[in-house]
């Protein structure tokens, strides 16, 4: 699992100019902040790097030269936006205007976020410089082009075979390829980025949208070097291996078309197996916007709340097939009604009753009745089902199935009422508690990908050692007599005032 920060994006240079800093200073500041936030949110990588490493530059330039050797790169003059007032060529993201396809007034010179179409700056209607607002003029400048058109039919044939792709990814990709790919310039007159490894082009850089996706390969090579086996990356890129690219809707074209074309042009490297792209997540029914502060900033969130409730909300509300919305009211409701009242309540009442009444140990079952056997079978069935859903990247369904099991376990517990049975038959009460503990143990494994912090707590309350993932993907059935640790509630109920307080912060 490798990824990293795209350090050469145009927003970096814009931010640097606004703050009077170098692009490197801005990029490294946000990279370090993101690394810290990812860690605190429980998001783990074998390597999370960035594209401003010497290793990345070497891999990008080596690929560039290989494409040139294979005849997929050529020089041509291109008309590029030039701002007379700013006295410089403008990267595509520095040019804004109206989209020629959907007429959105906020399209950029590289892509329209409204309709998802990749663009070239000259296509924009009423273009303007993002910095000063002046309409740019267009001047001829020589650049390298990549022969995307050469790969159109090959890509379309390959895409049609990816029957496991999500419908939104497949439909968008096929539609775009059926319209026909055009060759595109892959260098720009800018100072920030990977230098072009060709004499006479020292002042130009390889364009970020073409270079950033190579970060998957360069990160793999960096990981292999750091792991002590520099050739280990070949197991993933040149042998029988499935690669998954987890992205958002606006990045589909880069991962289902541009990156595969680059890989085909290089030759000998595995193409993506799956590109499970999500649709958009709106915020309080509006499009998220960093510039307008219409967002929930994770460092601020983590000052006040635990990571698992947000991970839960984003997982069970994941926009896998259509846009979904984040609202603080729904966040509080799901936390209170689902995490606290369903899953948390199940774990806490079973563990606390068992801990108090069975000497802090797992009770020995004297025999499992039909209801208990049904819950065990359901637990096994859901465990297998969740496994399959995760493998197919159906994360929303996976967490729903696990929560359905928690609901059924609560129903079983209410019917068995061990707190009542205990007064007359301690062994019979122990049977239902033992069965419930097994289901809870299965849930902490199933939900670990979604709720790592609470799963680890539950793992320890159940008396298991080490980390949840150490046991692998299997149900850990607690052994009779296994010593429990004194349990605490897994989740905290939130007051309704959270909704008003947090909503008021947005947009200011």
């Amino acid at each position: 699992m490798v990824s990293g920060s795209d350090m050469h994006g145009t927003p970096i240079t814009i931010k640097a100019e606004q703050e009077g800093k170098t692009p490197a200073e801005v990029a490294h500041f946000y990279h370090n902040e993101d690394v810290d936030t990812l860690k605190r949110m429980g998001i783990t990588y074998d390597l999370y790097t960035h594209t401003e490493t010497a290793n990345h530059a070497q891999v990008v330039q080596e690929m560039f030269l290989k494409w040139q050797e294979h005849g997929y790169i050529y020089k041509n003059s291109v008309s590029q936006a030039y701002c007379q007032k700013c006295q410089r060529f403008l990267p595509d993201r520095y040019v804004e205007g109206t989209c020629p396809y959907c007429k959105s007034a906020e399209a950029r010179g590289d892509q329209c976020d409204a309709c998802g179409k990749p663009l070239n700056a000259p296509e924009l209607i009423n273009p303007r410089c993002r910095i000063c607002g002046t309409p740019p003029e267009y001047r001829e400048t020589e650049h390298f082009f990549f022969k995307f058109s050469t790969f159109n039919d090959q890509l379309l044939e390959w895409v049609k075979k990816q029957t496991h792709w999500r419908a939104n990814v497949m439909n968008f990709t096929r539609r775009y390829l059926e319209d026909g790919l055009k060759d595109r310039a892959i260098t720009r007159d800018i100072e920030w980025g990977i230098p072009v490894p060709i004499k006479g082009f020292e002042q130009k850089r390889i364009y970020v949208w073409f270079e950033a996706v190579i970060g998957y390969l360069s990160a793999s090579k960096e990981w292999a070097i750091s792991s002590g086996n520099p050739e280990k990356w070949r197991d993933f890129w040149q042998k029988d291996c499935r690669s998954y690219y987890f992205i958002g809707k606006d990045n589909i074209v880069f991962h289902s078309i541009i990156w595969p074309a680059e890989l085909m042009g290089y030759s000998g490297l595995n193409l993506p197996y799956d590109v499970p792209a999500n649709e958009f997540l709106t915020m309080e029914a509006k499009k998220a916007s960093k510039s307008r502060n219409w967002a929930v900033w994770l460092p601020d969130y983590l000052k006040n709340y635990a990571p698992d409730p947000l991970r839960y909300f984003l997982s069970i509300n994941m926009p896998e097939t259509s846009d979904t919305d984040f609202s603080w009211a729904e966040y509080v409701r799901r936390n209170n009604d689902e995490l606290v009242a369903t899953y948390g309540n199940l774990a806490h009442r079973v563990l606390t009753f068992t801990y108090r009444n069975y000497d802090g140990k797992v009770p020995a079952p004297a025999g499992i009745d039909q209801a208990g056997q049904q819950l065990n079978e359901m637990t096994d069935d859901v465990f297998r089902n969740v496994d399959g859903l995760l493998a197919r990247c159906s994360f929303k369904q996976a967490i729903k199935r696990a929560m359905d099991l928690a609901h059924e376990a609560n129903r079983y517990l209410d019917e068995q009422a061990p707190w009542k049975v205990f007064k007359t038959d301690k062994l019979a009460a122990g049977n239902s508690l033992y069965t419930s503990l097994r289901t809870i143990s299965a849930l902490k494994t199933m939900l670990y990908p979604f709720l790592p912090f609470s799963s680890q707590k539950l793992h320890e309350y159940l008396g298991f050692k080490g980390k949840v993932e150490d046991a692998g993907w299997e149900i850990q059935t607690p052994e009779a007599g296994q010593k429990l640790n004194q349990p605490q509630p897994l989740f905290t109920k939130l007051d309704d005032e959270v909704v008003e307080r947090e909503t008021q912060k947005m947009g200011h």
Side-chain angles (χ1 to χ4, degrees), residues 188-223:
R188 275 295 183 268
D189 294 285
I190 50 178
E191 299 175 358
W192 179 239
I194 305 296
V196 179
I198 302 293
K199 189 175 180 180
F201 284 77
E202 292 84 0
Q203 303 308 310
K204 299 178 191 283
R205 297 292 181 266
I206 299 173
Y207 210 23
V208 62
W209 61 262
F210 192 76
E211 157 258 309
V213 287
I214 303 172
Y216 298 115
L217 179 60
S218 64
S220 302
K221 292 187 174 184
E222 183 182 336
W223 165 81

Coordinates of all heavy atoms in Angstrom, one line a residue, residues 188-223:
R188 N 5.8 21.9 -19.9 CA 5.3 23.3 -19.7 C 6.4 24.2 -19.4 O 7.5 23.8 -18.9 CB 4.3 23.3 -18.6 CG 2.8 23.0 -19.0 CD 2.3 24.0 -20.0 NE 0.9 23.7 -20.4 CZ 0.5 23.0 -21.5 NH1 1.5 22.4 -22.2 NH2 -0.7 22.9 -21.8
D189 N 6.2 25.5 -19.7 CA 7.2 26.6 -19.4 C 7.0 27.0 -18.0 O 6.4 28.1 -17.7 CB 7.0 27.8 -20.4 CG 7.3 27.4 -21.8 OD1 8.5 27.3 -22.1 OD2 6.4 27.2 -22.6
I190 N 7.4 26.2 -17.0 CA 7.3 26.6 -15.6 C 8.6 26.2 -14.9 O 9.5 25.5 -15.5 CB 6.1 25.8 -15.0 CG1 6.2 24.3 -15.3 CG2 4.8 26.4 -15.4 CD1 5.1 23.5 -14.6
E191 N 8.8 26.6 -13.7 CA 10.0 26.4 -13.0 C 9.9 25.3 -11.9 O 10.9 24.7 -11.5 CB 10.5 27.7 -12.3 CG 10.8 28.8 -13.2 CD 11.1 30.1 -12.5 OE1 11.1 30.1 -11.2 OE2 11.4 31.1 -13.2
W192 N 8.7 25.0 -11.5 CA 8.4 24.0 -10.4 C 8.0 22.7 -11.0 O 6.9 22.6 -11.7 CB 7.3 24.6 -9.5 CG 7.0 23.7 -8.3 CD1 5.7 23.2 -8.1 CD2 7.8 23.2 -7.3 NE1 5.7 22.5 -6.9 CE2 7.0 22.5 -6.4 CE3 9.2 23.4 -7.0 CZ2 7.5 21.9 -5.3 CZ3 9.7 22.7 -5.9 CH2 8.9 22.0 -5.0
G193 N 8.8 21.6 -10.8 CA 8.4 20.3 -11.3 C 9.7 19.5 -11.7 O 10.8 19.9 -11.4
I194 N 9.4 18.4 -12.4 CA 10.5 17.5 -12.8 C 11.2 18.0 -14.1 O 10.5 18.2 -15.1 CB 10.0 16.1 -13.0 CG1 9.3 15.6 -11.8 CG2 11.2 15.2 -13.4 CD1 10.1 15.4 -10.5
P195 N 12.5 18.3 -14.1 CA 13.1 18.8 -15.3 C 13.0 17.8 -16.5 O 13.0 16.6 -16.3 CB 14.6 19.0 -14.9 CG 14.6 19.1 -13.4 CD 13.4 18.2 -13.0
V196 N 12.9 18.4 -17.7 CA 12.9 17.5 -18.9 C 14.3 17.1 -19.2 O 15.2 17.9 -19.3 CB 12.3 18.4 -20.1 CG1 12.4 17.5 -21.4 CG2 10.9 18.8 -19.8
P197 N 14.6 15.8 -19.3 CA 16.0 15.3 -19.5 C 16.5 15.4 -20.9 O 17.1 14.4 -21.4 CB 15.8 13.8 -19.0 CG 14.5 13.4 -19.4 CD 13.6 14.7 -19.2
I198 N 16.2 16.5 -21.6 CA 16.6 16.6 -23.0 C 17.4 18.0 -23.1 O 16.9 19.0 -22.6 CB 15.4 16.6 -23.9 CG1 14.6 15.3 -23.8 CG2 15.9 16.9 -25.4 CD1 15.3 14.1 -24.3
K199 N 18.5 18.0 -23.8 CA 19.3 19.2 -23.9 C 18.5 20.2 -24.7 O 17.8 19.9 -25.7 CB 20.6 18.8 -24.7 CG 21.6 20.0 -24.7 CD 22.9 19.6 -25.3 CE 23.9 20.8 -25.3 NZ 25.2 20.4 -26.0
G200 N 18.5 21.4 -24.2 CA 17.8 22.5 -24.8 C 16.5 22.8 -24.2 O 15.8 23.8 -24.5
F201 N 16.0 21.9 -23.3 CA 14.7 22.0 -22.7 C 14.9 22.2 -21.1 O 14.0 21.9 -20.4 CB 13.9 20.8 -22.9 CG 13.3 20.8 -24.3 CD1 14.0 20.5 -25.4 CD2 11.9 21.2 -24.5 CE1 13.5 20.5 -26.7 CE2 11.4 21.3 -25.8 CZ 12.2 20.9 -26.9
E202 N 16.1 22.7 -20.7 CA 16.4 22.8 -19.3 C 15.4 23.7 -18.5 O 15.2 23.5 -17.3 CB 17.8 23.3 -19.1 CG 18.9 22.3 -19.5 CD 19.2 22.4 -21.0 OE1 18.6 23.2 -21.7 OE2 20.1 21.6 -21.5
Q203 N 14.8 24.7 -19.2 CA 13.9 25.6 -18.5 C 12.5 25.1 -18.5 O 11.6 25.8 -17.9 CB 14.0 27.0 -19.3 CG 15.4 27.6 -19.3 CD 16.1 27.7 -18.0 OE1 15.5 28.2 -17.0 NE2 17.3 27.2 -17.9
K204 N 12.2 24.0 -19.1 CA 10.9 23.5 -19.1 C 10.8 22.3 -18.1 O 11.8 21.8 -17.7 CB 10.5 23.0 -20.5 CG 10.5 24.1 -21.5 CD 10.2 23.6 -22.9 CE 10.4 24.7 -24.0 NZ 9.4 25.7 -24.0
R205 N 9.5 22.0 -17.7 CA 9.3 20.9 -16.8 C 8.2 19.9 -17.3 O 7.4 20.3 -18.2 CB 8.8 21.5 -15.4 CG 9.8 22.4 -14.7 CD 11.0 21.6 -14.2 NE 11.9 22.5 -13.5 CZ 13.0 23.1 -14.1 NH1 13.2 22.9 -15.4 NH2 13.8 23.8 -13.4
I206 N 8.3 18.7 -16.9 CA 7.3 17.7 -17.3 C 6.1 18.0 -16.5 O 6.1 18.3 -15.3 CB 7.8 16.2 -16.9 CG1 9.1 15.9 -17.7 CG2 6.7 15.2 -17.2 CD1 9.7 14.6 -17.3
Y207 N 5.0 18.1 -17.3 CA 3.7 18.6 -16.7 C 3.2 17.7 -15.6 O 3.2 16.5 -15.7 CB 2.7 18.8 -17.8 CG 1.7 19.9 -17.5 CD1 2.1 20.9 -16.6 CD2 0.5 20.0 -18.1 CE1 1.2 22.0 -16.3 CE2 -0.4 21.0 -17.8 CZ 0.0 22.0 -16.9 OH -0.9 23.0 -16.7
V208 N 2.7 18.3 -14.5 CA 2.3 17.6 -13.3 C 1.3 16.5 -13.5 O 1.4 15.4 -13.0 CB 1.9 18.6 -12.2 CG1 0.6 19.3 -12.6 CG2 1.6 17.8 -10.9
W209 N 0.3 16.7 -14.4 CA -0.8 15.7 -14.5 C -0.3 14.5 -15.2 O -0.8 13.4 -15.1 CB -2.0 16.3 -15.3 CG -1.7 16.7 -16.7 CD1 -1.5 18.0 -17.1 CD2 -1.5 15.9 -17.9 NE1 -1.2 18.1 -18.5 CE2 -1.2 16.8 -19.0 CE3 -1.7 14.6 -18.2 CZ2 -1.0 16.4 -20.3 CZ3 -1.5 14.1 -19.5 CH2 -1.2 15.0 -20.5
F210 N 0.8 14.6 -16.0 CA 1.5 13.5 -16.6 C 2.5 12.8 -15.7 O 2.6 11.6 -15.8 CB 2.2 14.0 -17.9 CG 2.6 12.9 -18.8 CD1 1.7 12.2 -19.6 CD2 3.9 12.5 -18.9 CE1 2.0 11.2 -20.5 CE2 4.3 11.5 -19.8 CZ 3.4 10.8 -20.6
E211 N 3.1 13.5 -14.8 CA 4.1 13.0 -14.0 C 3.7 12.5 -12.6 O 4.2 11.5 -12.1 CB 5.1 14.2 -13.8 CG 6.0 14.1 -12.5 CD 5.5 15.0 -11.4 OE1 5.3 16.2 -11.7 OE2 5.4 14.5 -10.3
A212 N 2.6 13.0 -12.1 CA 2.2 12.6 -10.7 C 1.8 11.2 -10.6 O 2.1 10.5 -9.6 CB 1.0 13.5 -10.3
V213 N 1.1 10.6 -11.6 CA 0.7 9.2 -11.6 C 1.9 8.3 -11.6 O 1.7 7.1 -11.1 CB -0.3 8.9 -12.7 CG1 -1.7 9.5 -12.5 CG2 0.2 9.3 -14.1
I214 N 3.0 8.7 -12.1 CA 4.2 7.9 -12.1 C 4.6 7.7 -10.6 O 5.4 6.8 -10.3 CB 5.3 8.5 -12.9 CG1 4.8 8.7 -14.4 CG2 6.6 7.6 -12.9 CD1 5.8 9.5 -15.2
G215 N 4.1 8.5 -9.7 CA 4.4 8.3 -8.3 C 4.1 7.0 -7.7 O 4.7 6.5 -6.7
Y216 N 3.1 6.3 -8.3 CA 2.8 4.9 -7.8 C 4.0 4.0 -8.1 O 4.3 3.2 -7.2 CB 1.5 4.4 -8.6 CG 0.3 5.2 -8.3 CD1 -0.3 5.9 -9.4 CD2 -0.2 5.3 -7.0 CE1 -1.4 6.7 -9.1 CE2 -1.4 6.1 -6.8 CZ -2.0 6.8 -7.9 OH -3.1 7.5 -7.6
L217 N 4.6 4.1 -9.2 CA 5.7 3.3 -9.5 C 7.0 3.7 -8.7 O 7.7 2.9 -8.2 CB 6.0 3.3 -11.0 CG 7.2 2.5 -11.5 CD1 7.1 1.0 -11.2 CD2 7.5 2.7 -13.0
S218 N 7.2 5.0 -8.7 CA 8.4 5.5 -8.0 C 8.3 5.2 -6.5 O 9.3 4.9 -5.8 CB 8.6 7.0 -8.2 OG 7.6 7.8 -7.7
A219 N 7.1 5.3 -5.9 CA 6.8 4.9 -4.5 C 7.1 3.5 -4.3 O 7.7 3.1 -3.2 CB 5.4 5.3 -4.1
S220 N 6.7 2.6 -5.2 CA 7.0 1.2 -5.1 C 8.5 0.9 -5.1 O 8.9 0.1 -4.3 CB 6.3 0.4 -6.3 OG 4.9 0.7 -6.3
K221 N 9.2 1.6 -5.9 CA 10.6 1.4 -6.0 C 11.3 1.9 -4.7 O 12.2 1.3 -4.2 CB 11.2 2.1 -7.2 CG 10.8 1.4 -8.5 CD 11.5 2.0 -9.7 CE 11.2 1.2 -11.0 NZ 12.0 1.7 -12.2
E222 N 10.8 3.1 -4.2 CA 11.3 3.6 -2.9 C 11.1 2.7 -1.8 O 12.0 2.5 -0.9 CB 10.7 5.0 -2.7 CG 11.3 5.7 -1.4 CD 10.6 7.0 -1.1 OE1 10.0 7.6 -2.1 OE2 10.6 7.4 0.0
W223 N 9.9 2.1 -1.7 CA 9.5 1.1 -0.7 C 10.5 -0.1 -0.8 O 11.0 -0.6 0.3 CB 8.1 0.7 -0.8 CG 7.8 -0.5 -0.1 CD1 7.5 -0.6 1.3 CD2 7.8 -1.9 -0.6 NE1 7.3 -1.9 1.6 CE2 7.5 -2.7 0.5 CE3 8.0 -2.5 -1.8 CZ2 7.4 -4.1 0.4 CZ3 7.9 -3.8 -2.0 CH2 7.6 -4.6 -0.9

